[in-house]
Amino acid sequence: MSALEDAAYLFRRSREEGRKAETAVQRGASGAVIAAHRELALRYRVRALAASSGTVPCLDAVGAAFRFPASF
């Protein structure tokens, strides 16, 4: 895969993990489960930013901003 494809994949995974974390909060999952999803989201985001570095500034294929829920 190219750097752009890698970055797009990693950004997508970051958003997926962020949604999983929010879903876990809503269903009242344990703090460990919520933290694990948030950590994975952050790790994917960091890797995506590193992969996109030098290709497209702050690439996010759909323009979605990465945000932790207010409960974070």
Side-chain angles (χ1 to χ4, degrees), residues 10-19 41-42 45 49 58-69:
L10 292 166
F11 277 119
R12 187 173 62 250
R13 290 291 294 130
S14 175
R15 288 189 302 273
E16 289 171 5
E17 288 298 330
R19 282 191 294 272
L42 183 59
R45 179 71 172 187
L49 289 170
C58 199
L59 170 73
D60 190 336
V62 297
F66 179 78
R67 294 180 189 87
F68 280 117

Side-chain angles (χ1 to χ4, degrees), residues 7-46:
Y9 168 77
L10 292 166
F11 277 119
R12 187 173 62 250
R13 290 291 294 130
S14 175
R15 288 189 302 273
E16 289 171 5
E17 288 298 330
R19 282 191 294 272
K20 287 179 184 179
E22 185 60 28
T23 301
V25 168
Q26 291 172 356
R27 73 171 185 263
S30 71
V33 170
I34 296 165
H37 285 299
R38 287 181 174 160
E39 181 177 345
L40 281 172
L42 183 59
R43 287 176 182 253
Y44 279 122
R45 179 71 172 187
V46 168

